[in-house]
């Protein structure tokens, strides 16, 4: 080979490592999937994960859009092997991660895994610090499609640098791997992570509660659903196709009353949030399944415009959220945070909404919309009339506004 050609090849190889950037074709809509942590924490193993893959298919979750099956913390053996490779806990995962990934893929799902930017994961297993390229190559060899990357045991390191290193390591594998940053919003990842990953946690951990409530072990206080909504609301300009604010995984089906589950799911859709279920899919109630697979609500979350909803007003404990959608339609969600039912009286013509972020305008004076309730699938008339309704406590009225002339064909597509 001529010297010049050799030099060019070396330069191409070198630049693909040094200047690697995240894969911009990934997560053009918020990722959807299931994660083991919220229900199972450290109690995971190969049988459980296979059963969950089966349940993602048989429950209809996969066909509703949930495709990433993510194994969270506690899958690792306590030490790396003699070559410093990570290894799965041989008791929990006797056939190893490649075989498990193959099983997950055989179900038409994608394979997600967890590690941490620090020296150890949050549960104390080997972290990635100093092994970024080695671990990325190992994940790629196992067929990993998604990496959740946590932030425990990272004393003194720079978040932007640590996450950028892992992003480059993933990119250097040439396998499309969604990179999910999980540093809890501590270092404002929304300001720097757009070129680094596809989603970033914007808050500390979610708890299965409406408002902040101390953990059952009393040692810390996870975020309630309302606190998370308040934390993510001001970040809407940072979200968009390929880069999402992550308000944490879903607690739907984990013990909240059905109205709170419905409100939680509706609001995650309004926030264009990743929809990562965290319940036991093998024995969901019909109510839980109906919430998680509501096609109309999922379509709002997955809308290709990729605009995070805006909080238009808060009145009498009712938050009115608006989300502009592709083609000029809108989703609107009235969230009642009060402990009693609240009446809604919303005059569309008196409320012209101009969203400077998307340049979308909701102006019922110029364009009437047909209103459909996304939870009952009933039509609620159109925007010529004031909307009057009562929203139960800790619940929502979530509606879809279709431009009047398109209403019929739109419905057929959902
Ligand atoms: C952190 C993360 C959680 C979960 C645990 C696992 O707390 O924020 O989502 O991954 O670690 O240890």
């Amino acid at each position: 080979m001529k010297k010049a050609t050799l030099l060019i090849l070396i330069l191409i190889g070198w630049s693909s490592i040094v200047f690697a950037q995240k894969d911009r074709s990934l997560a053009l809509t918020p990722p959807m999937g299931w994660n083991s942590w919220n229900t199972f924490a450290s109690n995971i193993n190969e049988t459980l994960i296979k059963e969950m893959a089966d349940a993602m298919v048989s429950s209809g979750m996969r066909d509703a859009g949930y495709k990433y099956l993510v194994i969270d913390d506690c899958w690792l053996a306590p030490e790396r092997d003699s070559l410093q490779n990570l290894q799965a806990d041989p008791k929990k995962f006797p056939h190893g991660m490649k075989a498990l990934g193959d099983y997950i893929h055989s179900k038409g799902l994608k394979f997600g895994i967890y590690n941490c930017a620090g020296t150890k994961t949050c549960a104390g297993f080997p972290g990635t610090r100093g092994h970024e390229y080695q671990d990325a190559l190992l994940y790629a060899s196992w067929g990993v499609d998604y990496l959740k990357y946590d932030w425990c045991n990272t004393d003194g390191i720079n978040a932007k640098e640590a996450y950028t290193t892992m992003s480059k390591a993933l990119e250097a594998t040439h396998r499309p791997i969604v990179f999910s940053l999980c540093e809890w919003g501590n270092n404002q990842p929304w300001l720097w992570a757009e070129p680094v990953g596809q989603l970033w946690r914007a808050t500390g951990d979610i708890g299965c509660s409406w408002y902040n409530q101390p953990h059952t072990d009393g040692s810390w206080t996870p975020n309630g659903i309302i606190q998370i909504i308040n934390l993510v609301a001001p970040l809407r300009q940072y979200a968009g196709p390929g880069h999402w604010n992550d308000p944490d995984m879903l607690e739907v089906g984990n013990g909240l009353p059905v109205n709170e589950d419905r409100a939680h799911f509706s609001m995650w859709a309004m926030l264009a949030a990743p929809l990562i279920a965290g319940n036991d899919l093998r024995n969901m109630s019909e109510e839980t399944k109906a919430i998680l697979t509501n096609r109309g609500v999922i379509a709002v979350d997955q809308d290709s415009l990729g605009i995070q909803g805006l909080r238009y007003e808060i009145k009498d404990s009712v938050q009115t959220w608006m989300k502009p959608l592709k083609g000029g339609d809108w989703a609107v969600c009235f969230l009642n945070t009060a402990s009693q039912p609240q009446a809604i009286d919303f005059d569309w013509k008196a409320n012209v909404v101009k969203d400077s972020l998307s340049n979308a305008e909701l102006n019922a004076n110029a364009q009437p919309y047909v209103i459909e309730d996304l939870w009952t699938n009933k039509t609620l008339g159109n925007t010529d009339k004031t909307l009057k309704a009562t929203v139960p406590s800790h619940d929502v009225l979530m509606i879809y506004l279709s431009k009047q002339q398109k209403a019929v064909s739109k419905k057929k597509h959902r």
Side-chain angles (χ1 to χ4, degrees):
M1 199 180 311
K2 283 204 180 118
K3 267 191 190 157
T5 320
L6 185 63
L7 187 64
I8 288 168
L9 284 177
I10 289 170
L11 279 175
I12 289 172
W14 176 79
S15 66
S16 81
I17 292 174
V18 176
F19 297 114
Q21 282 278 307
K22 76 171 197 183
D23 186 334
R24 290 187 175 274
S25 66
L26 285 174
L28 295 178
T29 62
M32 292 176 66
W34 180 87
N35 174 297
S36 55
W37 185 254
N38 282 358
T39 294
F40 297 99
S42 64
N43 300 315
I44 52 172
N45 59 53
E46 190 174 290
T47 309
L48 175 89
I49 298 299
K50 283 179 156 181
E51 286 177 4
M52 216 55 69
D54 296 347
M56 279 177 89
V57 179
S58 61
S59 63
M61 290 283 285
R62 180 195 63 186
D63 293 346
Y66 297 84
K67 61 179 179 183
Y68 292 100
L69 192 169
V70 185
I71 304 169
D72 208 285
D73 206 346
C74 305
W75 62 269
L76 283 156
E79 303 292 341
R80 290 174 178 267
D81 70 11
S82 57
L83 298 173
Q84 295 302 303
N85 282 318
L86 292 171
Q87 47 187 352
D89 180 320
K91 285 212 184 77
K92 291 178 173 173
F93 298 95
H95 297 94
M97 290 329 228
K98 167 83 173 73
L100 191 53
D102 289 348
Y103 187 83
I104 291 168
H105 288 142
S106 77
K107 298 283 160 182
L109 298 166
K110 290 190 177 285
F111 176 26
I113 213 161
Y114 162 102
N115 208 315
C116 192
T119 47
K120 284 184 187 304
T121 72
C122 296
F125 294 93
T128 295
R129 183 84 178 132
H131 295 274
E132 290 81 359
Y133 283 80
Q134 180 179 6
D135 291 357
L137 282 173
L138 185 66
Y139 299 147
S141 76
W142 290 345
V144 165
D145 306 297
Y146 182 112
L147 175 67
K148 172 174 169 181
Y149 202 55
D150 216 336
W151 190 238
C152 283
N153 304 302
T154 51
D155 290 353
I157 68 175
N158 176 294
K160 183 177 174 186
E161 283 172 16
Y163 281 96
T164 301
T165 302
M166 194 63 203
S167 172
K168 287 181 175 173
L170 291 175
E171 194 59 24
T173 68
H174 297 291
R175 181 175 175 85
I177 299 177
V178 170
F179 190 35
S180 159
L181 286 74
C182 178
E183 60 72 80
W184 321 309
N186 289 6
N187 298 278
Q188 299 181 297
W190 45 89
L191 297 180
W192 49 262
E194 190 275 334
V196 177
Q198 281 76 22
L199 60 159
W200 50 78
R201 279 274 295 280
T203 73
D205 286 13
I206 192 170
C208 190
S209 59
W210 186 252
Y211 294 117
N212 285 358
Q213 241 177 47
H215 195 267
T216 41
D217 70 9
S219 61
W220 64 295
T221 299
N223 289 295
I225 287 163
I226 297 301
Q227 275 83 15
I228 290 189
I229 291 170
N230 290 337
L231 289 166
V232 179
L235 304 178
R236 64 187 296 261
Q237 71 266 34
Y238 304 109
H243 51 102
W244 307 101
N245 293 314
D246 177 5
D248 207 356
M249 304 170 292
L250 295 163
E251 290 284 10
V252 174
N254 285 343
L256 293 172
V258 67
N259 49 309
E260 293 184 357
D261 269 354
R262 184 167 42 237
H264 170 27
F265 193 67
S266 302
M267 282 309 307
W268 262 230
M270 293 301 288
L271 291 168
L275 298 178
I276 309 291
N279 58 316
D280 188 345
L281 304 177
R282 298 167 303 175
N283 49 31
M284 279 189 279
S285 69
E286 284 306 312
E287 270 172 347
T288 296
K289 196 197 288 185
I291 290 173
L292 288 172
T293 60
N294 181 316
R295 295 288 209 275
V297 176
I298 291 173
V300 169
D301 179 76
Q302 294 288 301
D303 181 75
S304 61
L305 209 55
I307 299 290
Q308 179 176 322
L310 76 113
R311 185 155 56 186
Y312 176 64
E313 65 177 12
I314 307 179
K315 213 160 102 186
D316 300 331
S317 303
V318 176
Q319 303 188 6
T320 302
W321 285 79
M322 308 267 181
K323 185 176 195 284
L325 304 172
K326 180 107 178 143
D329 292 351
W330 288 75
V332 179
C333 189
F334 300 94
L335 167 70
N336 179 7
T337 61
S339 44
Q340 65 282 327
Q342 296 286 44
I344 288 168
D345 195 329
F346 196 83
D347 180 348
W348 299 102
K349 293 193 167 172
N351 286 280
V352 174
V353 182
K354 288 188 182 152
D355 176 22
S356 54
L357 182 65
S358 61
N359 285 326
E361 183 175 279
L362 172 57
N363 182 353
N365 303 292
Q367 164 67 57
Y369 294 82
V370 172
I371 306 174
E372 182 193 338
D373 183 325
L374 285 172
W375 287 107
T376 63
N377 293 325
K378 288 197 181 123
T379 301
L380 304 179
N382 68 18
T383 52
D384 286 344
K385 275 200 228 132
T386 295
L387 177 73
K388 287 179 191 287
T390 300
V391 184
S393 165
H394 295 190
D395 207 336
V396 288
L397 172 65
M398 183 170 180
I399 57 182
Y400 190 98
L401 304 186
S402 317
K403 285 184 176 176
Q404 189 130 25
Q405 65 276 19
K406 292 200 307 185
V408 174
S409 60
K410 188 97 219 158
K411 221 175 159 167
K412 273 191 199 145
H413 283 97
R414 272 196 271 126

